[in-house]
């Protein structure tokens, strides 16, 4: 067992996968000599050279579109989008092309690639360096969406993503890069896509989240334990395909569900989880399905006073669970 | 008729008489398939036609220099002549019109015009224009990194070349000297929008130098001229000297598609001038003048083509429709998981199997 | 009262608004001489000329991006995206720019424009001429999303949209263009944005939808009446800002809710409606919140056998309501 | 020193001595503000700096020919010198650094570098690069249709000019001969990516002709040369002759931003060569050589600028932070409706006001 940071988990896994499979290339803005603006690809250029670690022009549609072509012709690209906020110029290539290549060709062509992008707020990045964009993509059949919340999962899920034969969007919460550390075993383990995980067992309320919000939910659960409230916490890990069974099993046990996401509330990813619970576990529900989310303004504002106002926090999660428990 | 012996037509291009006849046959068969589509459309048998009439000369000429079984083609919806030149069969083209289950392009999932055949390195095409230009660029990147020796050719209309993806693709190919050939088929219209409202320059080829690559104009009625320009670009790419932008000046002899009435926005003179630039009679005359083709041979070709088109039509029409039970396959490579985004799982009760209303919990 | 088709309602309203306000321009692919591929702008070029009815190059990002600039400098653009499927290249301009201009500038700049786009399946348009794209945009604070289901509402809502000071996405179901007719009064009435409508009163189950699905829900309600089931049907009309009150009032009355949308189920717009009901009206619910939707495949396939498989129908809605009523 | 009287510097450009001094002052004050930002950053007072050092000469020169109060400016994040030339004040620039509530650019909502002032026709800027090029094009379209006589100028980096939006914008402006000037400030790097990996051509100006417009290279150390090129483009636009693409060759004297360590990807020689192309000492020397400026006047300017920067810093720092109670305003022009997407409505119970857990219904 080694202890490493979240970003080191990603960096080391990229290096190991590139050693394992010569078809893997990394491409994106500043991923080469600079090693990425967060240093997630640091060292790869030195080890694998300019052919396999490609500093691209500042053109996201090209980064994804050329990756699609490269994937079709035998490579396994791992493009980086510098910030999830800047994935929008590539929206057409991801949603209209990568996601649909297999279905539209009746399985004649596939598109194995893993698009990595740092996302999330709380880092003083303002409207355009703080976004959560998972809801846009989790809605799209043909894509797989992964958001790890620990170094262990980051390694296991990144391996599974890169080895998957379909396009995966792999979002990394940038606030966790250096603030979250954790144990990782040696060896080539994988965490399969499509499996959620109960990260804390409890009996009264189920809290469901992903990414940084799992960390916050666990902090909230500690606060709640002091109040005598027993909270179960589920880390979704793969947003698509979703492991609904693990969620339903838990909610059938606790009878109460609180969905947490950092993105804008209205139409956010967690709405689907609430809808599934309301459809499939209605008889077991003992209270309304709550959501703790970011507010419905267009992005996290910059000034620290405003940024604090935006972000969901352990306290706000705990407050919601308290009310739900008392319901 | 020609009794003296000047250098044989095409000899300077390395083309034999068989090549010339084959190129001619490719133009003729494509035109015949296209005309059949319109007949089928008017007969109510296929709901939608998008036509390449007027583009065939440029397409056959430019694609004839490719290496089948090695190179890649990334087509667009008017590419039937390119595709047939590169090895797609008339049956395969017709299957897409009828959207039958054995259609290799999409198993009947896509509209006609969205071709693709994996075993012939023809990439599946979508509708949003110009996206494929980036795919071709990525295929060429992989070819270069993997040292496969493959050349990739891709096609789009002049209207589509104004999309951002075109700019980003050519720039990247220019930087890395990728083995790719970009062909803009300029028929003067993007549906109804004429060239002067589509583009700030008259010749899209002007844009080649903006990406560090040659921009070459090919005259779409001159099949052998198109071959020469195409072959040069393909060879240049294969030698590792980088990409070329070819603009083929062609004519759109029909409406944009079977949904379009071009007389609403084109003058009669404009349409007549377009018809004048039909590559088929010109090529036929060129071959006859050079003594490569005579009326008898032309008749044999016509008869053969007629049979091919009949066969392709009848055979395709007789194939079965896709089975709805297969409609949810191939969203992913792995079998649909018994999970939320599988319609049989979550939505089973409204997808027709009448499962229980509530979950196991009750 | 005149009777007109859905598309004629749109065409005539565009013409009337352009007569009223010289700042309005229409721009897009083929909107000029051709009058649009569906003829929604037919006649405008002749009446208003090439300055106000602009045939643009085939570049959606430009169509929206230039409209943003034009709106900032005194015009009121009404760009058309030829098919909703082709709005993706403009995603960045809509989501990052138009939606955020006012918020990010603290109200210094606004962006009044109405992006019109035909959407929806059932017209033999296959994967790329059949899409429902509302979920992507309804999630975005700063945008307003409108989908009328009748000629009356098309006129009243299009007027409100064009006169609104913020960016509106106005989606028109292309299957309704010529198949739906209805009465429209003379005069300059508006239907305010943000108001849902109970289009059929009932007591046992509430069906909530928009666009073509409202027509299907009404057909289903007729079928259900024959079975003795009383169905209330709500037409959302404005997807953002959503009139939640009308939905909650109805569900509190009937105790049962069925949400209908044509888009892919997972993460579709209706998930938010289900989530809101599950959060706000839990105590009044007498059954699970159902959804009748398109399946989770990447687009409506072309062959008629497959297209039928995809589309929600009055029968499928009726079947869902029957089960819910019996619950 | 110059005792004979050759034609006065700038006379051929229509610039008076006062103009020259003012242009110099603009360069000096922008540099001083920029340097102050770095001091404040190191002192932990502002978390992020994005710097225009090395770009000021081109910016002042090109923008000096605009008409304040009429024309439009659509800037990018390094545009401080352009903005000050066009009428933004040092206080307004500093307010953005401190993200104070009275910041006219965004009320503290955006990161520093995202300027905009409505009453001076300076459009609010976002982070995704090159989007603003289309906004400028649309502003110019409105100016043309409304016959306002306005010229729009917009700016971006050479890296950003590879984005699709650039292509689509210039093409549209070229088609309609819009009154707009596109300025690419080429500092050779997009963060760490050098020119040869960003672009297939060395000079972005090469791309002008691809859109039917002149592509002109301006040397960013030659302030008056930049003025000449800028003025010509502005005048051309105003005369209705259409757009111009200007490429200003500049140098980035700092890291990309305060988050960047440029020594990781740039050699010491390369960075030293960049510093050599600092426009400030060159312009000072040029003015001194021409007898426009002497040491005493330079000293007076420095002293004045020092005061301006002090004032801007102290005053801005003393302003209040934005009030979180305002954070939900201006999502829309109308007041937030009491509806679902108003966080106070649906989310009220978790937004801090402790409302009831369930609705009115129970
Ligand atoms: C992104 C996108 N926008 C709009 C369309 C609708 N559309 C299909 S073909 C076409 C015109 C294409 O013109 P051009 O590129 O010149 O090719 P041509 O059809 O003339 O061969 C348009 C607007 C589309 N398919 N994709
Ligand atoms: C669409 C998008 N992708 C990525 C970024 C991140 N980013 C900000 S500035 C920059 C480099 C810009 O380079 P250039 O255009 O040359 O301007 P310079 O900073 O050199 O002045 C990058 C990659 C962004 N802001 N927007
Ligand atoms: Mg065309
Ligand atoms: Mg640069």
């Amino acid at each position: 067992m080694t202890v490493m940071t979240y970003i080191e988990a990603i960096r080391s896994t990229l290096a190991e996968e590139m050693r394992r499979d010569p078809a893997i290339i990394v491409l994106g803005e500043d991923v080469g000599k600079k090693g990425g603006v967060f240093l997630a690809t640091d060292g790869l250029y030195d080890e694998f050279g300019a052919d396999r670690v490609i500093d691209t022009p500042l053109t996201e549609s090209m980064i994804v579109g050329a990756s699609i072509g490269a994937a079709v012709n035998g490579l396994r690209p791992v493009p980086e989008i510098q910030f999830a906020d800047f994935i929008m110029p590539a929206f057409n290539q991801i949603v209209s092309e990568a996601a649909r290549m297999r279905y539209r060709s009746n399985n004649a062509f596939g598109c194995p690639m893993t698009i990595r992008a740092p996302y999330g707020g709380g880092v003083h990045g303002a409207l355009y360096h703080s976004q959560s964009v998972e809801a846009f993509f989790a809605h799209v059949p043909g894509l797989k969406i992964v958001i790890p919340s620990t170094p262990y999962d980051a390694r296991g899920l990144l391996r599974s993503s890169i080895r998957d034969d379909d396009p995966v969007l792999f979002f990394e919460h940038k606030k966790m890069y250096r603030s979250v550390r954790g144990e990782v075993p040696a060896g080539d383990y994988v965490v399969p896509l499509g499996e959620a995980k109960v990260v804390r067992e409890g009996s009264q309320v189920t809290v469901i989240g992903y990414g940084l919000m799992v960390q916050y939910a666990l902090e909230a659960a500690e606060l709640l334990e002091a109040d005598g409230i027993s909270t179960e916490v589920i880390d979704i890990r793969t947003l698509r395909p979703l492991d609904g069974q693990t969620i339903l099993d838990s909610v059938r046990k606790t009878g109460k569900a609180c969905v947490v996401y950092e993105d804008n509330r209205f139409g956010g990813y967690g709405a689907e989880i609430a809808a599934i619970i309301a459809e499939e576990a209605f008889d077991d529900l003992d209270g309304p399905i709550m959501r703790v989310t970011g507010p419905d303004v267009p992005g996290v504002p910059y000034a620290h006073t405003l940024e604090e106002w935006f972000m969901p926090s352990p306290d706000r999660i705990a407050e919601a669970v308290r009310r739900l428990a008392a319901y | 008729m020609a009794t003296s012996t000047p250098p044989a037509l095409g000899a300077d291009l390395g083309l034999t008489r068989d090549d010339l006849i084959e190129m001619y046959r490719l133009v003729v068969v494509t035109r015949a398939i296209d005309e059949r589509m319109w007949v089928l459309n008017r007969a109510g048998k296929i709901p939608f036609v998008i036509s390449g009439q007027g583009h065939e000369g440029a397409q056959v000429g430019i694609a004839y220099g490719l290496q089948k079984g090695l190179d890649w083609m990334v087509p667009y919806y008017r590419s039937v002549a390119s595709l047939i030149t590169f090895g797609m069969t008339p049956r395969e083209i017709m299957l897409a019109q009828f959207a039958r289950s054995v259609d290799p392009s999409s198993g009947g999932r896509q509209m006609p015009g969205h071709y693709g055949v994996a075993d012939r390195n023809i990439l599946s095409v979508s509708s949003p224009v110009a996206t494929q230009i980036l795919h071709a660029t990525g295929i060429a990147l992989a070819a270069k990194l993997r040292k496969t020796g493959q050349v990739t050719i891709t096609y789009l209309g002049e209207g589509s070349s104004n999309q951002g993806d075109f700019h980003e693709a050519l720039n990247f190919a220019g930087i890395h000297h990728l083995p790719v050939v970009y062909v803009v088929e300029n028929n003067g219209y993007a549906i109804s929008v004429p060239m002067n409202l589509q583009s700030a320059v008259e010749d899209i080829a002007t844009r080649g130098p903006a990406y560090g690559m040659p921009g070459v104009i090919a005259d779409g009625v001159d099949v052998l001229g198109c071959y020469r320009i195409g072959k040069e670009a393909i060879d240049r790419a294969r030698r590792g000297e980088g990409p070329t932008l070819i603009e083929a000046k062609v004519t759109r002899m029909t409406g944009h598609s079977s949904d379009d009435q071009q007389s609403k926005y084109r003058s009669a003179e404009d349409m007549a001038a377009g018809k004048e630039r039909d590559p088929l009679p010109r090529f036929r005359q060129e071959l006859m003048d050079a003594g490569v083709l005579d009326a008898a041979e032309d008749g044999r070709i016509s008869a053969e083509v007629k049979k091919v088109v009949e066969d392709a039509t009848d055979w395709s029409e007789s194939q079965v429709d896709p089975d709805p039970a297969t409609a949810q396959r191939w969203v992913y490579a792995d079998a649909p998981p018994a999970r939320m985004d599988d319609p049989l799982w979550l939505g089973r009760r409204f997808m027709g199997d009448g499962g229980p209303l509530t979950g196991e919990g009750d």
Side-chain angles (χ1 to χ4, degrees), chain A, chain B:
Chain A
M1 283 286 183
T2 328
V3 171
M4 55 174 69
T5 59
Y6 186 82
I7 194 165
E8 177 54 19
I10 287 158
R11 205 206 56 72
S12 61
T13 307
L14 285 173
E16 289 161 21
E17 286 296 293
M18 289 185 79
R19 275 173 221 137
R20 187 188 55 78
D21 182 354
I24 297 172
I25 61 168
V26 161
L27 68 167
E29 296 152 16
D30 305 291
V31 298
K33 280 197 193 166
K34 187 173 163 74
V37 295
F38 292 99
L39 301 181
T41 59
D42 202 26
L44 300 183
Y45 182 87
D46 287 342
E47 180 172 354
F48 302 103
D51 265 10
R52 292 184 64 198
V53 184
I54 304 172
D55 267 330
T56 66
L58 175 31
T59 49
E60 286 79 9
S61 189
M62 186 288 287
I63 293 170
V64 174
S67 292
I68 292 172
V72 161
N73 198 16
L75 296 182
R76 214 163 255 271
V78 185
E80 173 177 299
I81 299 293
Q82 196 160 80
F83 287 84
D85 313 65
F86 305 137
I87 205 167
M88 304 309 174
F91 200 78
N92 192 36
Q93 285 289 348
I94 297 170
V95 170
S96 304
E97 300 296 334
R100 297 168 163 229
M101 183 64 83
R102 188 178 302 281
Y103 189 79
R104 79 176 186 225
S105 71
N106 207 20
N107 199 37
F109 293 98
C111 196
M113 64 169 166
T114 301
I115 303 174
R116 293 181 41 254
Y119 84 101
V123 294
H124 229 47
L127 271 79
Y128 296 100
H129 295 77
S130 301
Q131 289 176 68
S132 299
V133 302
E134 67 279 1
F136 295 122
F137 299 103
H139 176 49
V140 178
L143 300 178
K144 297 184 177 182
I145 316 295
V146 176
I147 304 186
S149 79
T150 65
Y152 177 93
D153 282 349
R155 279 171 74 75
L157 288 166
L158 185 54
R159 288 198 189 101
S160 293
S161 299
I162 290 175
R163 298 172 192 183
D164 198 89
D165 283 334
D166 288 304
V168 178
L169 276 79
F170 192 92
F171 294 119
E172 304 158 8
H173 200 295
K174 60 181 101 73
K175 190 170 179 152
M176 294 202 286
Y177 271 150
R178 292 183 165 77
S179 68
V180 171
R181 335 180 113 255
E183 293 204 332
V184 300
D188 186 43
Y189 70 93
V190 298
V191 175
L193 303 188
E195 294 189 4
K197 188 176 175 191
V198 177
V199 290
R200 179 187 174 112
E201 299 213 355
S203 59
Q204 286 172 272
V205 175
T206 302
V207 176
I208 303 142
Y210 49 93
L212 179 65
M213 292 303 118
V214 174
Q215 301 285 350
Y216 284 8
L218 289 170
E219 286 180 46
E222 290 293 320
L223 299 174
L224 290 160
E225 189 169 282
D227 298 356
I229 297 171
S230 167
T231 313
E232 181 142 310
V233 178
I234 295 179
D235 184 353
I236 297 292
R237 303 196 297 189
T238 303
L239 281 70
R240 183 176 194 117
L242 174 69
D243 175 4
Q245 204 57 58
T246 297
I247 295 171
L248 293 177
D249 288 347
S250 174
V251 174
R252 287 189 178 121
K253 180 177 76 175
T254 62
K256 287 173 179 171
C258 175
V259 187
V260 186
Y261 52 103
E262 181 184 324
D263 192 10
N264 307 122
R265 172 186 298 252
F266 193 87
Y269 177 77
E272 177 63 32
I273 296 183
I276 288 171
I277 296 170
E279 185 156 10
E280 298 287 333
F282 175 74
D283 287 344
D284 297 290
L285 278 181
D286 297 321
I289 303 168
M290 299 276 122
R291 289 185 285 169
V292 178
T293 72
D296 280 314
V297 302
V300 185
Y302 179 67
H304 63 96
T305 47
L306 304 180
E307 182 169 42
E308 269 157 38
W309 169 83
F310 187 102
M311 293 292 290
S313 63
D315 279 344
R316 273 170 57 201
I317 298 169
E319 178 57 21
V321 173
R322 248 176 238 123
R323 294 179 184 210
L324 204 43
Y327 189 84
Chain B
M1 252 173 246
T3 45
S4 74
T5 41
L9 186 68
D12 58 324
L13 299 170
L15 293 172
T16 65
R17 182 183 172 280
D18 283 356
D19 285 325
L20 297 178
I21 294 292
E22 173 60 6
M23 290 169 84
Y24 175 66
R25 198 192 59 81
L26 288 165
V27 173
V28 173
V29 76
T30 310
R31 177 65 56 91
I33 290 170
D34 195 300
E35 286 171 346
R36 177 58 60 93
M37 291 179 195
W38 288 94
V39 172
L40 291 168
N41 178 249
R42 263 174 254 123
K45 292 198 170 184
I46 64 176
F48 180 77
V49 174
I50 192 146
S51 184
Q53 290 185 36
H55 291 235
E56 305 98 328
Q59 291 187 11
V60 170
I62 291 170
Y64 200 76
L66 292 166
Q67 255 178 261
K68 289 186 219 175
L70 174 66
D71 293 338
W72 275 92
M73 180 174 283
V74 185
Y76 81 128
Y77 46 85
R78 288 198 207 285
S79 290
V80 175
S82 301
L83 291 163
I84 291 192
T85 305
F86 198 57
M88 243 183 116
T89 68
R91 281 187 173 190
E92 289 170 332
I93 297 291
M94 272 299 175
L95 279 171
Q97 316 310 313
F98 287 106
R100 296 304 195 234
S101 68
V102 291
D103 156 38
S105 295
S106 76
R109 290 173 172 193
Q110 293 220 72
M111 290 175 83
H114 295 63
Y115 306 104
V117 188
D119 67 23
R120 262 149 288 170
N121 288 359
I122 298 167
L123 185 59
S124 160
V125 140
S126 66
S127 303
V129 299
T131 51
Q132 76 274 19
I133 305 306
L134 282 166
H135 308 163
T137 304
I139 290 174
L141 175 70
K144 186 185 175 206
L145 297 185
R146 293 177 50 222
K147 303 188 175 46
T148 61
Q150 295 163 315
V151 171
T152 303
I153 193 162
T154 187
Y155 303 87
L156 74 169
E158 85 294 342
S160 308
S161 78
N162 299 303
Q163 283 277 354
D165 277 1
F166 177 84
H167 179 65
E168 299 189 13
L170 270 69
N171 185 47
F172 189 69
I175 292 169
H176 292 281
H177 307 287
L178 298 183
V180 53
V181 179
Y182 301 103
V183 182
V184 174
E185 298 184 22
N186 186 347
N187 60 15
Y189 287 88
I191 308 186
S192 73
V193 182
M195 194 61 188
N196 68 314
L197 288 174
Q198 291 182 60
S199 164
V201 288
E202 215 180 293
D203 300 320
I204 301 295
T206 313
R207 293 181 177 161
Y211 308 107
M213 68 181 77
V216 190
I217 295 177
D219 181 358
V221 297
D222 175 9
V223 179
L224 297 182
C226 288
Y227 171 77
R228 182 179 50 72
I229 287 170
K231 190 68 168 52
E232 271 170 23
I234 293 162
D235 289 349
R236 188 179 125 83
R238 192 146 3 245
R239 289 194 303 270
E241 291 167 21
T244 301
L245 171 63
I246 298 174
E247 177 183 13
K249 304 277 193 186
V250 298
T251 177
R252 194 187 81 195
M253 290 169 55
T254 65
H256 170 76
S257 75
S258 51
D259 291 340
D260 181 43
Q261 198 52 54
Q262 62 174 338
S263 58
K264 186 159 180 199
Y265 53 83
R266 284 181 81 170
S267 68
E269 304 79 66
D270 179 37
M271 289 187 287
K275 290 245 150 114
E276 280 301 301
R277 288 184 39 77
D278 183 349
L280 176 51
R282 292 248 199 142
F283 195 32
R284 181 189 296 123
Q285 197 58 50
E286 184 179 11
L287 295 182
M288 287 193 162
D289 290 349
V292 172
L293 184 73
D294 59 19
E297 171 112 40
D298 193 31
R300 270 194 300 279
I301 291 172
S302 290
E304 182 219 308
V305 158
K306 201 164 179 265
K307 261 196 237 146
V308 166
V309 174
E310 290 300 337
D311 166 73
T313 308
D314 295 346
W315 182 82
S316 299
E317 192 171 4
S318 74
Q319 302 303 305
V320 297
D321 284 329
D323 179 353
T326 66
Q328 62 168 18
R329 288 299 294 140
W330 307 125
V331 178
Y332 300 101
D334 36 10
R339 290 210 179 84
M340 290 300 170
D341 57 343
D342 172 7
L344 285 193
W345 195 90
L346 181 65
R348 63 185 179 280
R349 70 183 63 92
F350 304 131
M351 296 304 298
D353 78 343
L357 178 56
T358 54
E360 305 87 313
D362 54 11

